[in-house]
Amino acid sequence: MNSRRSFIRKAAALGTTPILSSFINLSEPRLQEIRQEALKKSPEELAADEDFWAQIKQSYTVSPQIINLNNGGVSPSSKPVQESLERLNHYANECPSYYMWGIMDQGREPLRENIAQYAGVSPEEIAFNRNTTEALDTIILGMPLEKGDEVIVCEYDYPNMLNAWQQREMRDGIVLKWIDLKLPSEDKETLIKPYLEAIGPKTKVIHLTHMINYNGQILPIKEIAEAAHKKGIEVVCDGAHTFAHIDFKIPELGCDYFGTSLHKWLGAPIGSGLLWMKKEKIANVYPLLPNPEPKSDNIRKFENLGTRSFMIEQAIGEALNFQYAMGNKRKEARLRYLRNYWAENAKKLSGRISIQTPFKDDLSCALAVVGIDGYKGGEIAKTLFSKFKVHTTGRVKVDINGTRVTPHVYTSLRDLDRLLTGLDYMLKI
Ligand SMILES: Cc1ncc(COP(=O)(O)O)c(C=O)c1O
C-alpha cells in the first residue's frame, strides 16, 4: 500500500500530464492567475497592458545583463517548464530505465492528444521528435520521388531543408526549381505568383517556409497549397517560426506535411519538435530512423529515435499549459504590439533606417529586420551588443541586409527603448 502511494506521489510529482490525465492542466496556481488576468481584456487591450506583461516576465529567468532580442533563434523556457524539466530529470536519475521507459513513456499518448488538440489535428497524425530539421528531413528524405521529379524551392528557405533537397537531387536525380521571391512584400499576389509560374508537368512538391527566417515574412501557404493541390502537387510546410507564435490551426494552412520546433515559440525545452502529416500520407513516407514496419500507416513509426530525453518530451506538456494560460491570440497581439513599437519608432529616427519586413498583420508578426544605410547586418548586431548589450542577429540574404530583432512575451518597452538608443547611436557615429 505504502509503495503504491509513494508511486502515485512520484508520478504526480513528475508534473505535466504523465500517466494521469489527457487534459490541459492549469492547476498550477501561477497559471490560473495569469489566465484569469488575461481573460479580463481583449487581445488588443491586453497587448498594451505593461503590468500584465511585467507579471509574465516574472515567470522567466532571463538575464538582467543582456537584452535578448533573438527569441526567433530559440526561446527561453518559462519557470514552470524549467521546474517541470528539473523534476523529471530528478526522478529519471533515481532509476532511468524504470522512470523513463516505465513511467514517463506512458505520458506520450496523453501528450500527443494535448498537442494534437492544440494544433487542431488528429493525434494519429502527430509524431514527436527533436526539432524542425528532424521533422522536415524525415519528410524530404522519406517521400517517394523519382528521377526527373521537380520540387520548387527558394533561396529564402532554411539551409537545413535545402541541404536535404539537394542531397536528394544528388542521390536520386530529382530536380530543384529555384524561384525568385522579392522580399519584403506587402502584397500576397507577388508572393504567390512565382510559385504558380514555376509549376510544370513534372512538379511533384512545393516546399514552403511559413515564416521566412531571414526577415520574418509570412508566406500565403493556403493560397499556394490550394493551387498546388488542383494540379496534384504536394506541399511541405516549414513551420519552425509560426507554431505557438501566430494563432492558427495546422489544417488551415492546407499543406500536406508540417514540421516545427517546440523549443522556439512554444517555449518547450531545447531539443523538442514535432512532425505532422495527413493520415493518408503516412504509409508512403519512409522513416528517417527505420523501425520494423517502415510502410506502416502508424505515425509512431517516426518516433524510433533510440534513447533520448523523455524528460524533455514530457515537459512539453507544461509549455502547453503556459501557452494556454496566456492564450494564442493574446500572445500574438502582444508580440505584434512590441514589433510595431520598435519598428515604427526606428523608422522615425532617420531616412537611413529601413524596416525590411512587411507591417501587414497577415504577413508578419514578432520577427522583423532593421537595416541602416551604410552598415552590414552583422555590423549592426555587433555594435548593438558590444555597446548596449542588446542581442540581435545579423541577416544578409539576397535583398535583406540588416539585423533581425525578435522580442518575446517577457520583453518590455524599456528593453526596446534601449534598442532604439543603440540604432540612434549608430546613425550618429
Ligand atoms: C525557417 C526555419 N526552419 C527550420 C529551422 C531549424 O530549426 P531547428 O534548428 O530547431 O531544427 C529554423 C531555425 O531557426 C528556421 O528558421
Side-chain angles (χ1 to χ4, degrees), residues 21-199:
S21 150
S22 63
F23 298 103
I24 300 298
N25 169 17
L26 290 186
S27 56
E28 152 81 61
R30 273 174 298 178
L31 297 187
Q32 274 182 8
E33 279 170 31
I34 289 172
R35 184 79 190 138
Q36 275 158 15
E37 277 300 304
L39 287 175
K40 286 182 191 158
K41 293 187 174 169
S42 71
E44 289 69 31
E45 282 169 329
L46 195 73
D49 179 345
E50 294 312 309
D51 291 343
F52 175 80
W53 298 102
Q55 189 191 324
I56 291 283
K57 186 172 185 166
Q58 298 305 311
S59 298
Y60 284 86
T61 54
V62 291
S63 165
Q65 280 92 32
I66 294 172
I67 296 176
N68 180 12
L69 294 177
N70 184 18
N71 292 287
V74 63
S75 198
S77 289
S78 64
K79 277 188 211 166
V81 175
Q82 291 181 45
E83 286 160 11
S84 165
L85 184 59
E86 276 163 27
R87 265 198 315 273
L88 291 159
N89 266 328
H90 174 81
Y91 283 113
N93 284 294
E94 283 192 9
C95 182
S97 62
Y98 172 67
Y99 280 114
M100 275 180 48
W101 295 322
I103 298 207
M104 288 178 210
D105 203 25
Q106 296 177 54
R108 184 167 306 117
E109 293 310 317
L111 182 64
R112 197 189 310 278
E113 279 179 33
N114 285 348
I115 203 134
Q117 189 187 355
Y118 174 78
V121 298
S122 157
E124 293 306 314
E125 299 174 327
I126 290 273
F128 291 107
N129 53 29
R130 291 168 292 199
N131 50 49
T132 312
T133 303
E134 193 166 61
L136 294 183
D137 280 3
T138 299
I139 296 161
I140 295 169
L141 300 176
M143 71 195 308
L145 289 173
E146 288 170 6
K147 190 169 181 201
D149 286 348
E150 288 179 5
V151 176
I152 300 175
V153 294
C154 83
E155 281 221 55
Y156 288 112
D157 291 322
Y158 196 71
N160 288 0
M161 280 77 244
L162 292 174
N163 292 342
W165 282 121
Q166 282 170 317
Q167 186 169 301
R168 278 214 80 165
E169 194 173 39
M170 208 183 280
R171 287 183 75 168
D172 302 327
I174 66 160
V175 178
L176 298 187
K177 297 271 280 194
W178 295 80
I179 61 145
D180 199 10
L181 273 191
K182 295 269 172 273
L183 299 188
S185 172
E186 295 274 1
D187 172 28
K188 277 191 181 180
E189 280 314 309
T190 63
L191 298 164
I192 298 169
K193 207 165 157 236
Y195 284 101
L196 304 195
E197 283 177 354
I199 293 176

Side-chain angles (χ1 to χ4, degrees), residues 72-73 130-134 136 156-158 160-161 209 211-213 238-241 260-261 263-264 395 404:
R130 291 168 292 199
N131 50 49
T132 312
T133 303
E134 193 166 61
L136 294 183
Y156 288 112
D157 291 322
Y158 196 71
N160 288 0
M161 280 77 244
T209 304
M211 180 181 276
I212 304 274
N213 109 79
D238 178 341
H241 278 298
T260 194
S261 299
H263 49 235
K264 285 194 187 279
R395 284 287 176 267
R404 193 181 74 188

Side-chain angles (χ1 to χ4, degrees), residues 178-399:
W178 295 80
I179 61 145
D180 199 10
L181 273 191
K182 295 269 172 273
L183 299 188
S185 172
E186 295 274 1
D187 172 28
K188 277 191 181 180
E189 280 314 309
T190 63
L191 298 164
I192 298 169
K193 207 165 157 236
Y195 284 101
L196 304 195
E197 283 177 354
I199 293 176
K202 293 189 173 166
T203 308
K204 291 289 185 299
V205 180
I206 302 182
H207 180 96
L208 295 173
T209 304
H210 196 186
M211 180 181 276
I212 304 274
N213 109 79
Y214 297 101
N215 77 331
Q217 174 90 47
I218 295 178
L219 295 185
I221 307 292
K222 183 165 164 265
E223 288 85 342
I224 300 169
E226 270 171 8
H229 286 156
K230 282 187 192 142
K231 302 194 171 176
I233 298 164
E234 294 191 302
V235 173
V236 175
C237 180
D238 178 341
H241 278 298
T242 48
F243 193 78
H245 172 183
I246 56 173
D247 183 44
F248 70 99
K249 300 282 184 206
I250 295 175
E252 291 165 16
L253 302 177
C255 59
D256 302 282
Y257 308 91
F258 181 90
T260 194
S261 299
L262 302 175
H263 49 235
K264 285 194 187 279
W265 289 97
L266 189 64
I270 295 167
S272 55
L274 72 76
L275 161 65
W276 169 85
M277 72 180 76
K278 285 183 182 159
K279 178 74 183 162
E280 66 267 26
K281 305 282 177 193
I282 299 173
N284 283 331
V285 179
Y286 277 102
L288 195 60
L289 300 161
N291 84 344
E293 292 182 62
K295 300 291 280 175
S296 151
D297 68 353
N298 187 334
I299 193 78
R300 294 160 192 80
K301 76 180 182 185
F302 298 114
E303 292 174 343
N304 197 27
L305 308 178
T307 306
R308 76 279 195 184
S309 172
F310 287 27
M311 296 74 87
I312 287 179
E313 188 178 274
Q314 279 305 293
I316 295 169
E318 203 58 51
L320 263 181
N321 291 339
F322 196 74
Q323 180 81 7
Y324 271 106
M326 271 181 295
N328 276 352
K329 281 195 169 46
R330 288 171 173 80
K331 176 174 176 178
E332 177 182 340
R334 172 64 174 178
L335 292 172
R336 191 166 279 119
Y337 176 83
L338 293 173
R339 194 280 315 271
N340 287 341
Y341 177 84
W342 77 258
E344 277 163 10
N345 282 308
K347 263 197 327 191
K348 288 181 203 154
L349 291 175
S350 157
R352 286 174 62 205
I353 296 268
S354 57
I355 303 299
Q356 301 172 18
T357 303
F359 274 86
K360 276 193 182 155
D361 284 2
D362 55 350
L363 295 178
S364 66
C365 193
L367 271 74
V369 165
V370 57
I372 307 179
D373 196 23
Y375 284 96
K376 291 210 178 92
E379 288 167 350
I380 307 173
K382 211 168 153 196
T383 309
L384 283 174
F385 192 74
S386 62
K387 298 263 180 225
F388 299 91
K389 290 288 169 281
V390 172
H391 176 53
T392 61
T393 179
R395 284 287 176 267
V396 179
K397 187 80 177 175
V398 197
D399 296 327

